[in-house]
Amino acid sequence: KALYKDPPAHWPEIMPPLAGLFSIPFGALYSRNVRNLLFAGRHISATHVAFGSTRVQGTTGVMGQAVGTAAALCLKYDVDPRTLRREHITDLQQQLLKDDCYIKGLQNTDTRDVILNADAQASSVSALEMTGVESWLPLAVGRGQMICFSEPNVETISLLLKSTGQQGQVLQAELVRAARLDDFASGEAVAAATAKVDASSIGWVDLHFAAEIDPDFPYWVRVEPVEGVSWAFTSREEIGAQRAEWYELLGRWQPVRGTHAFRVVPEARPFGPENVVKGASRPEAGPNLWISDSSVSLPQWIELTLTEPRWMDTIYLTFDTNLSDLVDSGAAAESVRDYRVQVSYRGPYVEVAHIQGNCQRRRIHRFDGFRAAKVRLTVEATNGVPEARLYEIRAYQERL
């Protein structure tokens, strides 16, 4: 009901808004009156509203993984599912995250991950800007563009605009803080700016915000409608650069596909190497991945330095396989194809994995135990894009 500006009067008042993603609670996956019975699939405990999304195959498959993991932990701790939920739910959540499941809002806090929060460096880091043009979308309606920053301030955001009018126009825009990358519901602006758009012109128009911001959160530029002006559009979508339009029928800002052209001063580089060891492997409040500079040719590397040498024999890698798009055939262009994994204590690097022809998101490499102070991943080739992309590196001593 909350999704519509003027909802039908007969809609029940108890109907909740269901905007955005939601997680399925473990309590919905076991029986209320059979002590050791777990469920996975369409017959879990859910209202008919929640069933609209919990019933889909991808979701039911992950339920099966959650239930299987829970069953193993029930055996390990000799408890029933209800007790597992009460006493060991963190163990279940952390194991699912380790196995590359996604639980909204939860991060890796596994103390066995010896590389978590290590110091990270990379050969290069990509800037976040979009300068390509496939078409022009008229500012007949309000339009918005989300941007993830890397500095505590933003001076100028430039938009690529085209004017077909016979006289100049004034562009009005606001900078709005968001809670996450798909959040266009936030309404409180942190800064406002205006700019003149010359008549019959095509070019970059500068919005001078001169605002202090929190780089741990995304922000979006909210542009008011203006007659005779269009904003450059490309179907390419980069993580951290979602866009939105104002839909009068819904009475809200709605995320839509593609990206508007923009540039930022100071330059935004939210794809730093520190992302791969901070505990997140999906975009949420930020992109949460390392992307190398596409203008610098491969190979590119990322190096993690531990606070002190630790034993490890297993390394987990999580690559970008573009989970936002369905891949018709073959590998996702964003995925890493050829790479090397090396570890070092004090001397030269020792290679523990050399892979060619990869197309998978998750790769696990096991090797003889090694006391290491550094881990390095070198990306030699991808399946299409010119830059290296990586969400997460974990390191464990699993074979005691």
Side-chain angles (χ1 to χ4, degrees), residues 92-111:
L92 175 58
Q93 292 170 335
Q94 288 299 312
Q95 184 61 51
L96 291 172
L97 291 179
K98 183 179 178 182
D99 294 333
D100 199 30
C101 290
Y102 174 50
I103 305 175
K104 184 179 178 181
L106 289 184
Q107 292 187 318
N108 171 22
T109 59
D110 189 351
T111 57

Side-chain angles (χ1 to χ4, degrees), residues 109-128:
T109 59
D110 189 351
T111 57
R112 297 168 298 176
D113 179 3
V114 301
I115 209 169
L116 184 63
N117 296 319
D119 179 67
Q121 294 182 322
S123 53
S124 67
V125 176
S126 175
L128 178 58

Side-chain angles (χ1 to χ4, degrees), residues 48-281:
H48 70 286
V49 175
F51 181 71
S53 56
T54 62
R55 65 183 177 82
V56 299
Q57 288 185 333
T59 302
T60 57
V62 177
M63 286 184 215
Q65 184 173 353
V67 164
T69 304
L73 290 177
C74 285
L75 291 174
K76 175 181 177 180
Y77 295 118
D78 192 22
V79 296
D80 60 22
R82 192 177 301 276
T83 305
L84 183 74
R85 177 191 180 189
R86 185 173 60 250
E87 299 179 1
H88 304 285
I89 191 64
T90 299
D91 291 350
L92 175 58
Q93 292 170 335
Q94 288 299 312
Q95 184 61 51
L96 291 172
L97 291 179
K98 183 179 178 182
D99 294 333
D100 199 30
C101 290
Y102 174 50
I103 305 175
K104 184 179 178 181
L106 289 184
Q107 292 187 318
N108 171 22
T109 59
D110 189 351
T111 57
R112 297 168 298 176
D113 179 3
V114 301
I115 209 169
L116 184 63
N117 296 319
D119 179 67
Q121 294 182 322
S123 53
S124 67
V125 176
S126 175
L128 178 58
E129 63 177 18
M130 303 297 288
T131 58
V133 182
E134 294 180 15
S135 62
W136 298 88
L137 299 182
L139 285 171
V141 297
R143 298 190 182 277
Q145 177 61 55
M146 190 160 288
I147 306 172
C148 289
F149 299 97
S150 54
E151 302 298 326
N153 65 295
V154 54
E155 293 298 324
T156 304
I157 299 176
S158 301
L159 314 182
L160 184 55
L161 302 178
K162 178 173 72 172
S163 172
T164 58
Q166 298 303 309
Q167 59 183 4
Q169 296 280 8
V170 175
L171 185 75
Q172 297 182 333
E174 294 177 317
L175 187 64
V176 184
R177 173 172 153 167
R180 58 188 184 278
L181 293 182
D182 60 349
D183 172 30
F184 290 94
S186 302
E188 184 176 353
V190 300
T194 60
K196 182 180 178 182
V197 183
D198 294 332
S200 302
S201 63
I202 297 178
W204 291 95
V205 175
D206 297 334
L207 293 166
H208 299 286
F209 287 104
E212 295 183 357
I213 58 171
D214 184 347
D216 291 331
F217 289 88
Y219 290 74
W220 60 288
V221 183
R222 184 166 60 199
V223 180
E224 295 297 319
V226 57
E227 184 179 353
V229 178
S230 299
W231 193 352
F233 167 82
T234 174
S235 58
R236 180 192 166 200
E237 297 180 31
E238 185 54 272
I239 297 170
Q242 285 76 3
R243 74 179 187 99
E245 294 181 13
W246 173 258
Y247 277 72
E248 187 64 30
L249 176 64
L250 300 177
R252 69 170 187 176
W253 290 89
Q254 176 69 24
V256 286
R257 305 305 298 266
T259 310
H260 289 295
F262 68 88
R263 298 188 305 206
V264 179
V265 177
E267 199 171 45
R269 293 185 180 269
F271 308 113
E274 67 279 359
N275 288 332
V276 307
V277 287
K278 71 178 187 180
S281 60

Side-chain angles (χ1 to χ4, degrees), residues 319 331 335-339 355-360 363 383:
F319 297 112
S335 61
V336 169
R337 190 188 73 192
D338 305 335
Y339 64 91
I355 303 299
Q356 294 181 309
N358 175 64
C359 63
Q360 297 177 341
R363 295 299 300 261
N383 285 291

Side-chain angles (χ1 to χ4, degrees), residues 333-350:
E334 294 84 354
S335 61
V336 169
R337 190 188 73 192
D338 305 335
Y339 64 91
R340 298 175 186 268
V341 182
Q342 298 169 302
V343 296
S344 170
Y345 177 39
R346 291 179 178 173
Y349 274 100
V350 175

